[in-house]
């Protein structure tokens, strides 16, 4: 048995030699022991098969044409003969160029390199190189222990730059993310100043959940971050807040966030498992990290679940700044939210506008149940340039009273804080009163034309927001500027239903962006004028 | 006539000098061309370049000694030149047969150089025989 194994190993060690003889090489011979159609070089074809062909798919097989003389196998069909037969000739092809290769003493010059066959000796090295999802060895700079590499780099400015991985004590700050498939990979480093949000799936088992490292809070805040690369100054990751999510999805914010909650198995559930981490890193303007905080979402995993989805986010803020996300600079960028706000209560002139996350222009967000009354305030922000439409279904029973229903529907359509003003430019500051456009509100009643009694019940059924924008600025780089915003509420009469019956009315809300820019007129510079004035004593002797 | 210097040898040495400059530049250019167009690993490029430069370094004293020996009718420099010619012949044979890529132009250039060396060697031997006797 030992020598059979050795013999087998010896056979496996070398890959099959490549076929280089042009007479035997046939690329169209794909079917084993069967004749390939129109393949004149196929050895499985007989003379009767050749008589059925019309062309040869591979007319000539040659070696490298840079050689001075090489053999070529020429296949052709003689259609004149009856029956048609295949002609196979081996000819010498000559390259007439004076720079043709007469001879080479380097065997692999004209052939592709054969891949290395794994053997017990080189297996580890090949596994390192090719075993991961990507073909690259782990860069040596992760290893902080190799001090030999540090001296040449000591002259570099010691600060983080954009995209440089954030280093921690042992390796780097991990932001688990899906690589190739949706499974979490812990080898994704967080880049400095790169705001990322990732979601990935991790396989869990409830019995061993307290031993799975990635489910415990400690894994994410254990190693402290280096303030600058390759320094000894550490920044501990503090726990900013802990939100506990119950099995039905309800989240509660814990009041005390200094207690470390580790996953434990309780009643066939695994509680305190990390479902999401949100890192907030504060840095100085010289690229030094001064603070790091992590906000956790912990949840419970039930016994049947074999995998959970974890979400991770990291954001960077400069110290002593309050970043306000702009939607463009200065014109709006398609896809960024439209900024809106309220006029502050200054009298007689408004001083500034209040604009924050809670006063965004939003429209109703359709839910899976499509029930208006159960929508519970799910709103989606209005993004510039994206026409949106959403809706829900309202089930009206006889017992519903008109006025409360109309008010509820108005809340559903407009949301809690429907803003009064919209920013004209993406970077409009709250102090610049003239840069804000008021939202015009219109009411249209559907049955105005049929002269029905206006005193009957009117309920709003649709909200249409029309945003008119124009191109502003130079011809080559026009900026989008919002000029007019109109919110139109359409109401319809609610007819009284006989008791016991119910009706379903669709409620819709939509946002439309219209480009009202007038065609651009290029203006030209004035022709230069020649302004010649002779000095007054030019004609001196004669004047 | 009492002139023992060989005129054909002198002409041949002179032409050899001019031809060698052309040969050196052409071979160097072709090696550069080969390294760009074909796969030419560094550990095969180095010996080829070393041989070419060594041949150039040998050529200068070889031609100088040949001129001097022939013109002064002294057999010692001419004999030394003959010895150096043997070295140049070996290097030329390497470039003809054992280079990594031997192009057709390489074959032509080296064949011409080899025939010049052969002819020169014959003429040098007859000149030495004439000077000694």
């Amino acid at each position: 048995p030992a020598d059979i194994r050795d013999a087998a190993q010896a056979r496996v060690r070398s890959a099959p030699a490549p076929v280089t003889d042009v007479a035997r090489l046939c690329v169209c011979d794909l079917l084993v022991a069967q004749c390939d159609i129109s393949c004149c070089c196929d050895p499985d074809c007989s003379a009767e098969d050749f008589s059925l062909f019309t062309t040869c798919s591979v007319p000539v097989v040659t070696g490298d044409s840079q050689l001075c003389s090489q053999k070529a196998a020429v296949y052709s069909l003689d259609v004149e003969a009856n029956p048609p037969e295949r002609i196979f000739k081996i000819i010498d092809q000559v390259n007439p160029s004076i720079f043709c290769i007469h001879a080479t003493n380097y065997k692999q010059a004209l052939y592709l390199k054969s891949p290395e066959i794994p053997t017990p000796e080189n297996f580890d090295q090949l596994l390192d190189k090719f075993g991961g999802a990507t073909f690259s060895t782990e860069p040596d700079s992760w290893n902080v222990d190799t001090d030999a590499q540090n001296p040449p780099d000591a002259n570099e400015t010691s600060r983080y730059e954009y995209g440089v991985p954030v280093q921690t004590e042992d390796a780097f700050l991990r932001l688990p993310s899906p690589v190739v498939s949706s499974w979490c990979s812990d080898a994704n480093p967080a880049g400095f100043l790169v705001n990322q949000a990732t979601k990935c799936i991790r396989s869990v088992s409830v019995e061993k959940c307290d031993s799975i490292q990635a489910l415990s809070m400690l894994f994410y805040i254990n190693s402290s971050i280096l303030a600058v690369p390759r320094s000894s100054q550490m920044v501990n990751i503090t726990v900013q807040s802990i939100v506990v999510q119950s099995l039905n999805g309800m989240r509660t914010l814990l009041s005390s966030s200094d207690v470390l909650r580790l996953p434990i198995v309780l009643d066939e559930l695994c509680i305190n498992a990390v479902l999401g981490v949100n890192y907030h890193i504060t840095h100085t303007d010289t690229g030094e990290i001064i603070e790091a905080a992590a906000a956790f979402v912990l949840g419970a995993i039930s016994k049947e679940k074999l995998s959970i989805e974890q979400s991770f986010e990291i954001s960077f803020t400069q110290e002593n700044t309050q970043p306000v996300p702009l939607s463009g600079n200065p014109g709006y960028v398609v896809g960024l939210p439209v900024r809106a706000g309220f006029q502050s209560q200054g009298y007689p002139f408004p001083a500034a506008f209040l604009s924050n996350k809670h006063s965004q222009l939003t429209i109703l967000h359709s839910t899976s149940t499509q029930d208006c009354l159960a929508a519970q305030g799910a709103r989606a922000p209005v993004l510039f340039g994206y026409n949106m439409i959403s809706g829900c279904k309202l089930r009206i029973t006889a017992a519903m009273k008109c006025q409360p229903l109309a008010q509820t529907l108005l809340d559903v359509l407009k949301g809690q804080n429907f803003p009064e003003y919209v920013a004209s430019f993406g970077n409009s500051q709250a102090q610049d009163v003239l840069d804000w456009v008021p939202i015009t509100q219109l009411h249209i009643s559907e049955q105005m034309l049929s002269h029905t009694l206006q005193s009957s019940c009117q309920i709003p059924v649709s909200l249409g927001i029309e945003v008119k924008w124009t191109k502003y600025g130079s011809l080559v780089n026009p900026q989008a500027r919002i000029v007019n915003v109109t919110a139109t509420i359409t109401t319809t009469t609610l007819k009284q239903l006989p008791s016991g019956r119910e009706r379903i009315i669709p409620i819709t809300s939509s946002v439309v962006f219209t480009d009202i820019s007038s065609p651009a007129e290029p203006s030209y510079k004035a022709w230069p004028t020649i302004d010649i004035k002779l000095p007054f004593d030019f004609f001196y002797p004669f004047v | 006539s009492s002139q023992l210097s060989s005129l054909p040898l002198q002409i041949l040495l002179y032409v050899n000098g001019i031809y060698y400059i052309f040969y050196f530049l052409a071979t160097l250019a072709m090696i550069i061309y080969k390294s760009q167009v074909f796969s030419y690993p560094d550990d095969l490029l180095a010996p080829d370049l070393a041989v070419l430069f060594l041949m150039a370094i040998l050529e200068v004293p070889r031609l100088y000694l040949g001129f001097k020996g022939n013109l002064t009718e002294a057999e010692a420099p001419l004999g030394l030149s003959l010895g150096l010619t043997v070295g140049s012949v070996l290097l030329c044979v390497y470039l003809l047969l054992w280079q990594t890529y031997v192009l057709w132009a390489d074959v032509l250039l080296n064949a011409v150089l080899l025939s010049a060396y052969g002819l020169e060697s014959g003429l040098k031997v007859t000149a030495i025989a004439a000077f000694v006797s």
Side-chain angles (χ1 to χ4, degrees):
Chain A
D3 18 38
I4 296 178
R5 220 181 331 126
D6 282 339
Q9 273 180 355
R11 267 202 305 275
V12 163
R13 213 154 275 157
S14 60
V19 174
T20 53
D21 182 10
V22 289
R24 285 181 23 223
L25 193 62
C26 195
V27 290
C28 54
D29 179 11
L30 300 167
L31 299 170
V32 175
Q34 265 188 58
C35 182
D36 291 84
I37 310 296
S38 281
C39 187
C40 296
C41 52
D42 196 343
D44 308 313
C45 293
S46 61
E48 295 106 44
D49 297 318
F50 286 131
S51 64
L52 298 170
F53 293 167
T54 49
T55 60
C56 282
S57 59
V58 173
V60 63
V61 181
T62 64
D64 194 329
S65 58
Q66 282 177 319
L67 293 172
C68 287
S69 94
Q70 73 215 252
K71 294 225 171 298
V74 179
Y75 301 93
S76 60
L77 282 177
D78 183 11
V79 289
E80 304 290 315
N82 188 10
E85 55 187 36
R86 174 199 76 162
I87 304 175
F88 168 50
K89 281 197 298 245
I90 297 188
I91 61 172
D92 277 318
Q93 241 184 17
V94 171
N95 183 351
S97 160
I98 199 166
F99 297 118
C100 63
I101 301 178
H102 181 78
T104 75
N105 290 307
Y106 174 39
K107 280 291 160 274
Q108 300 129 303
L110 305 168
Y111 300 110
L112 295 172
K113 194 170 149 182
S114 304
E116 257 182 86
I117 299 292
T119 60
E121 293 83 45
N122 65 4
F123 185 78
D124 290 317
Q125 177 233 351
L126 284 179
L127 184 65
D128 274 335
K129 223 163 121 184
F130 299 117
T134 55
F135 289 171
S136 70
T137 47
E138 195 80 0
D140 287 331
S141 59
W142 291 154
N143 225 344
V144 191
D145 302 352
T146 57
D147 289 316
Q149 290 177 347
N150 283 340
D153 299 336
N155 289 337
E156 269 181 27
T157 54
S158 61
R159 58 171 192 191
Y160 280 109
E161 291 174 356
Y162 176 83
V164 167
V166 174
Q167 292 185 2
T168 63
E169 264 178 311
D170 41 358
F172 46 83
L173 185 66
R174 279 179 223 87
L175 204 72
S177 68
V179 171
V180 182
S181 61
S182 337
W183 297 97
C184 287
S185 151
D186 288 330
N188 180 40
F192 186 67
L193 290 187
V194 178
N195 293 337
Q196 265 184 304
T198 58
K199 278 196 181 62
C200 58
I201 304 179
R202 203 177 284 277
S203 67
V204 294
S205 80
V206 177
E207 302 86 48
K208 296 198 292 244
C209 88
D210 44 359
S211 62
I212 300 179
Q213 266 202 325
L215 290 180
S216 105
M217 275 173 66
L218 219 57
F219 180 66
Y220 299 101
I221 57 174
N222 208 355
S223 52
S224 9
I225 299 180
L226 303 181
V228 283
R230 287 182 294 271
S231 81
S232 50
Q233 215 181 342
M234 304 284 182
V235 173
N236 286 331
I237 307 181
T238 57
V239 177
Q240 191 178 38
S241 65
I242 302 182
V243 167
V244 174
Q245 181 171 316
S246 65
L247 274 175
N248 59 2
M250 195 138 72
R251 291 187 173 189
T252 11
L253 178 68
L254 289 187
S255 46
S256 74
S257 52
D258 28 348
V259 177
L260 211 58
R261 295 173 147 243
L262 296 175
I264 50 175
V265 185
L266 196 71
D267 286 343
E268 299 200 343
L269 286 182
C270 176
I271 60 170
N272 294 337
V274 171
L275 294 182
V277 187
N278 206 326
Y279 288 104
H280 298 281
I281 314 268
T282 313
H283 65 97
T284 65
D285 51 356
T286 54
E288 191 186 316
I289 294 181
I290 49 175
E291 234 183 277
F296 286 92
V297 175
L298 302 179
I301 312 177
S302 55
K303 204 173 169 66
E304 311 85 48
K305 276 207 162 166
L306 296 172
S307 63
I308 52 163
E309 185 183 62
Q310 290 184 315
S311 57
F312 301 93
E313 207 182 307
I314 186 165
S315 61
F316 290 85
T317 330
Q318 197 168 327
E319 62 168 348
N320 300 331
T321 59
Q322 296 270 12
V324 171
L326 296 178
S327 298
N329 201 8
Y332 271 101
V333 171
V334 170
L336 292 184
V338 171
R339 296 174 61 223
F342 297 93
Q343 205 176 47
S344 64
Q345 305 299 317
Y347 177 85
F349 305 111
F353 288 92
L354 297 167
S355 168
N356 50 22
K357 269 201 296 246
H358 307 291
S359 64
Q360 261 194 344
L361 191 62
T362 57
I363 63 166
L364 172 74
H365 185 74
S366 306
T367 57
S368 52
T369 55
Q370 291 195 352
D371 189 355
C372 289
L373 301 175
Q376 295 304 330
R379 316 273 316 162
V382 170
L383 303 175
F384 184 81
Y386 286 179
N387 296 344
M388 298 194 225
I389 187 164
S390 64
C392 56
K393 290 207 199 37
L394 177 71
R395 188 186 295 138
I396 303 183
T397 58
M400 283 187 179
K401 296 263 197 309
C402 176
Q403 263 317 103
L405 184 64
Q407 190 55 45
T408 313
L409 280 179
L410 209 58
D411 278 340
V412 165
L413 281 172
K414 286 172 99 169
Q416 291 298 89
N417 275 328
F418 195 70
E420 301 165 3
Y421 287 82
V422 166
S424 184
F425 286 107
N427 64 349
S428 297
Q429 301 297 315
Q431 317 75 279
D432 304 327
V433 178
L434 295 175
D435 271 348
W436 293 76
V437 170
I439 299 184
T440 317
Q441 312 239 8
L442 290 182
H443 275 93
I444 297 182
S445 177
E446 251 182 19
Q447 265 116 3
M448 235 179 245
L449 301 171
S450 52
H451 301 293
T452 44
L453 286 169
Q454 293 299 319
S455 60
S456 60
C457 179
Q458 298 274 325
I459 52 164
V461 286
S462 92
L463 166 69
I465 302 179
E466 192 182 355
V467 180
K468 294 200 178 78
W469 62 279
T470 174
K471 294 200 189 87
Y472 182 83
S474 68
L475 262 185
V476 292
N477 191 8
Q479 304 296 310
R481 176 190 187 171
I482 291 183
V483 178
N484 189 334
V485 179
T486 312
T488 311
I489 302 250
T490 312
T491 58
T492 183
T493 317
L494 179 66
K495 284 195 270 287
Q496 194 63 27
L497 286 169
S499 77
R501 301 280 301 273
E502 56 179 39
R503 238 178 91 190
I504 296 187
I505 312 181
I507 310 282
T508 53
S509 68
S510 63
V511 180
V512 172
F513 286 84
T514 325
D515 180 1
I516 59 164
S517 35
S518 45
E521 285 167 17
S523 61
Y524 299 98
K525 274 181 74 157
W527 278 99
T529 53
I530 301 177
D531 199 10
I532 307 179
K533 267 203 326 225
L534 296 171
F536 76 100
D537 57 353
F538 193 71
F539 299 108
Y540 170 61
F542 308 109
V543 137
Chain B
S1 74
S2 62
Q3 184 201 353
L4 296 172
S5 310
S6 161
L7 180 60
L9 178 62
Q10 196 66 21
I11 297 173
L12 193 57
L13 283 173
Y14 186 74
V15 167
N16 194 355
I18 296 176
Y19 175 73
Y20 189 77
I21 296 172
F22 165 72
Y23 166 90
F24 176 77
L25 293 173
T27 308
L28 186 63
M30 279 200 289
I31 288 183
I32 294 173
Y33 162 76
K34 282 182 260 185
S35 73
Q36 298 300 309
V37 170
F38 305 124
S39 144
Y40 215 145
D42 284 340
D43 53 349
L44 292 174
L45 181 61
D48 290 347
L49 278 177
V51 163
L52 182 64
F53 279 96
L54 188 60
M55 208 161 107
I57 291 171
L58 274 183
E59 193 71 9
V60 173
R62 189 188 79 92
L63 283 175
Y64 172 73
L65 288 170
F67 275 115
K68 184 161 160 219
N70 193 24
L71 290 175
T72 58
E73 298 181 5
E75 57 273 0
L78 215 50
L80 208 52
S81 176
L82 196 60
L84 288 176
T85 305
V86 171
S88 285
V89 161
L90 286 174
L91 295 177
C92 185
V93 164
Y94 172 89
L95 287 178
L96 177 64
L97 292 180
W98 299 310
Q99 226 186 108
T100 310
Y101 292 97
V102 182
L103 305 183
W104 183 238
D106 273 323
V107 172
L108 288 175
L109 285 173
N110 284 297
V112 168
L113 195 63
L114 264 183
S115 53
Y117 284 162
L119 202 54
E120 247 177 53
S121 305
L123 287 173
K124 276 181 197 162
V125 166
T126 44
I128 289 175
F131 297 156
V132 163
S133 64

